[in-house]
Amino acid sequence: MSLNDDDFLDQADEPTCDRRGNPDRRPQTARSTANPRSRPSPTSDPTAGWSLRELRHQYTRLLAAQREAGIGHFSFNAIHKPGWCSPQFLLALGATRPVSGSDCERRARDIWRRLEPAYRVTLKSCIRQCAGSGRPFGQQLRVLGFDGNFRWIWVRGDCLGQAGNRRISGTVIDMTQQEQEATQAQAREAAHALRREQAELSRDEMALQLQVLAEHCSDLVVIHDCNGRIHDVNQLACATLGYRRDELLALAHHQVDVDLTLERLQKLAARRPAGQRGSLNSHYRRRDGSLLPVEVRAVHVEIDAQPHLLTLVRDLSERNDYEQQVQHLAYFDPLTGLPNRASFSRSLASALERAGKQGGQLALLMIDLDRFKTINDALGHCAGDRLLQEMAHRLRRVLPANAAVARAGGDEFVVLVEDPTDLERLAKDILQALVSEFPLDGQAVYITASIGISTCPEHGYDEFALMKRADIAMYRAKAAGKNTWALYSSQMDLGSVAQLMLESDLRRAIEGNALLLYYQPKVDARSTRITGCEVLVRWQHAQLGMLHPEDFIPIAEETGLIVPLTRWVLRQACLQNRAWQRQGLPALRLAVNLSARQFADDNLLGDVHAILAETGMPATLLELEITESMMMRDTRHAQQMLDGLKRLGVHIALDDFGVAYSSLSHLKRFPIDIIKIDRSFIRGIPGTRADEAITEAIINLSRSLKISVVAEGVEKAEQFQFLRSRSCDEIQGYLFSQPLDADAFSELMLGPRQAAFALALVAGG
């Protein structure tokens, strides 16, 4: 027997149904009796002999039962292939009510095609086996319903009748809802299993992450149970405390933490109101018995559903050492190791409090090293630092037990003596100790000091008054020739007040153009012709009369007024030079001295450029004089500043050459145009072989480097003759002219030049 897709789509060999789904009541046609082979035998059909009424009745009951149970049925002839299905069959496939008999006949043809191909093959195999063997079959199938949705149905079939007249009949149950529920149940179970697996993985991962974090934590990690037994530690805790892991796990909390009880740790871990500390300091005992300062933080955690206490322990050893270092730096001088001014202030305050209560006496000694700046500039800061360290050592050694010394700053030291007995003897002992020879960079250095003394209660009961008056006395000792001491007296305040008044007057003099400029000519040594002049400032004070630079320049440098003062001198000198040129005088080069503070000012280049632009004076007619010590303070800044001035076209002169630490490398490195030999060497020529040799060497060196040489302080004809015979380029001094005001200088330039003629006669004689 061969089956294909159309075998089950023919008309059924069954009584047809009416439109309500009931069997047709019309009598059987002749076709049903024409073929006796198609009639079932009494032995194979249990309904044989039933009347038509009985058959209708039984069939109606069957349909009603199937509707109640949701079961449809079908039947078809296995040989002639006609097929039929009940209305409930169509309802199981998604048909809508009501379903008529004609729907059963029409839609039965389409059912086979609605099966999915794979299930169509499966059903075809089941039907073949049933028709061949007569054994029933059951199969779950997936079919496209009439409503457009896929449905699951359970089909059970059986083979009835004898060979040659076999029929395949069976039932159909809609399993869509059961299948969906089963699928959903399976999905829920799968999701639950997945969540359970993920939770287990997350718990394992969290434990692993916690272990990794603990091992990489910069703090010690210690976990206790509620009884204080150590449950776990990280490797850092083992290494820091000196235990093996198994040794630490065998200990209890109180055997490690010396200060904090388990109850305090639990309170620390509990939630606290805002603003309270989240950590406590304690000590952990190492394996060797030593104590480790620690900072402890704690938090409650659950491990295997049991409460535990996780403690983060931070080693405070380095922090405590650092705090001690910071404390030491805050109150001690890092160079000398002496207490600094802040520490001394605390000691002085305590001593003053004791003196006030007990009626004791105090003495304050302010010590300032003489000429330290000169040594520091000449030999460098490293040598200066070593000298300060030696002076601090000598002070500690010479002071009595009731005295304390501190470094006040720079080259100043301050000594506090409680209940002094002989201040004069103490001051002399200090001066003698400091003046001793000290070898520094291969040469013996001798340094002196000036000491100012104030006492309590004579000179005040507060720190400010004692420090101020000791400082005033110290400056009085310096004014007295240095290397001495002075005890404060009220008369010294008059000098301080006068200095403050002088500072105020100088500020007003600069702002009001009340200063005067004087010009000292520079002469060509060969032709005795005036080639330029050095600009010098004077101050005609209303009460004090004419003041020279040494009377007010130190105050200007100390107060910072030197910067606006130099700017004023530079501008007025450039304006005067332009005025001389308009009068017909030859072009002259003006030399202006720069102070160290002015040279260090970052605005110097801008100021020079602005003044030259404002006055219209060519930069080639300006010469700026600096000292070698100014370049040594910051060689990088000096290089940048000098290069910038040279780009403007300004000439650079090195003043007082040979007096301090003179380096030939500086002549090679820096763009120097002129060297000025200091008057201290000129004073000894001719006659002093050392001065002659040094002067001649400077001239020869300068000529080799193509640098011009100016000798300042020339006052004698013999000095002039010596310098001209050694090819010195220019001279400056009272032999030719003293400093002149602007009018006198212009008369000298425009007059018969008798001074130059007289100088020529002297030179010729």
Side-chain angles (χ1 to χ4, degrees), residues 327-340:
Q327 185 79 2
H328 188 272
L329 290 175
Y331 292 104
F332 288 87
D333 175 47
L335 178 62
T336 62
L338 294 176
N340 59 14

Side-chain angles (χ1 to χ4, degrees), residues 467-481:
M467 293 287 287
K468 173 187 175 184
R469 288 165 181 171
D471 197 54
I472 292 173
M474 183 265 294
Y475 278 106
R476 178 58 61 92
K478 281 188 175 295

Side-chain angles (χ1 to χ4, degrees), residues 368-379 384 387 411 435 440 443-450 478 481-483 659-660:
D368 185 84
L369 302 181
D370 300 328
R371 296 178 55 253
F372 174 77
K373 182 177 180 299
T374 302
I375 297 174
N376 195 53
D377 291 344
L379 301 180
L387 181 59
D411 59 350
V435 79
L440 196 61
Q443 63 185 52
V445 173
Y446 297 88
I447 193 164
T448 60
S450 300
K478 281 188 175 295
K482 304 178 181 177
N483 193 26
V659 175

Side-chain angles (χ1 to χ4, degrees), residues 206-218:
M206 289 178 63
L208 180 60
Q209 291 176 0
L210 180 61
Q211 182 179 1
V212 171
L213 288 174
E215 292 302 331
H216 288 81
C217 183
S218 60

Side-chain angles (χ1 to χ4, degrees), residues 570 603-613 622 624 645 648 650:
L570 184 60
N603 297 322
L604 175 61
L605 284 177
D607 290 342
V608 173
H609 183 270
I611 290 172
L612 291 174
L622 178 61
L624 296 179
L645 292 172
L648 291 178
V650 176

Side-chain angles (χ1 to χ4, degrees), residues 42 116 118 132 187 268 315 328 337 388 435 444 457 466 504 510-511 540 542:
E116 286 192 352
L268 178 65
D315 184 357
H328 188 272
L388 289 173
V435 79
L466 290 177
S504 178
I510 296 173
E511 296 173 354
Q540 184 65 45

Side-chain angles (χ1 to χ4, degrees), residues 483-606:
N483 193 26
T484 187
W485 63 278
L487 180 65
Y488 172 79
S489 68
S490 58
Q491 295 297 322
M492 295 179 181
D493 279 335
L494 299 177
S496 300
V497 172
Q499 186 175 4
L500 289 175
M501 293 178 60
L502 194 63
E503 175 188 342
S504 178
D505 291 343
L506 178 59
R507 189 181 302 274
R508 287 194 295 267
I510 296 173
E511 296 173 354
N513 295 326
L515 301 175
L516 303 174
L517 293 185
Y518 278 67
Y519 306 89
Q520 185 172 31
K522 291 194 294 183
V523 177
D524 185 280
R526 289 180 295 274
S527 65
T528 68
R529 182 176 56 86
I530 298 176
T531 57
C533 61
E534 180 178 357
V535 181
L536 304 171
V537 63
R538 301 285 189 270
W539 182 13
Q540 184 65 45
H541 195 275
Q543 289 81 30
L544 303 177
M546 182 65 73
L547 299 180
H548 289 73
E550 57 269 19
D551 297 323
F552 60 88
I553 291 298
I555 297 177
E557 290 180 341
E558 182 180 352
T559 59
L561 290 174
I562 191 67
V563 174
L565 173 60
T566 306
R567 192 183 300 122
W568 182 89
V569 170
L570 184 60
R571 182 175 181 275
Q572 295 300 320
C574 291
L575 289 173
Q576 184 60 59
N577 199 8
R578 288 292 293 161
W580 284 335
Q581 292 179 31
R582 286 193 294 270
Q583 293 176 16
L585 270 65
L588 298 175
R589 184 184 301 160
L590 299 180
V592 178
N593 286 278
L594 290 180
S595 69
R597 196 156 187 172
Q598 180 75 49
F599 187 70
D601 189 2
D602 293 333
N603 297 322
L604 175 61
L605 284 177

Side-chain angles (χ1 to χ4, degrees), residues 16 19 25 30 47 92 132 143 162 184 186 196 235 248 259 316 328 331 335 476 499 552 575 592 596 610 617 621 687:
T16 59
R19 294 185 179 275
R25 294 179 175 83
T47 62
V143 62
Q162 298 178 350
Q184 292 175 357
Q186 291 176 358
R196 186 168 58 249
Q235 185 59 36
L248 266 179
D259 301 330
L316 297 183
H328 188 272
Y331 292 104
L335 178 62
R476 178 58 61 92
Q499 186 175 4
F552 60 88
L575 289 173
V592 178
M617 191 184 84
L621 298 182

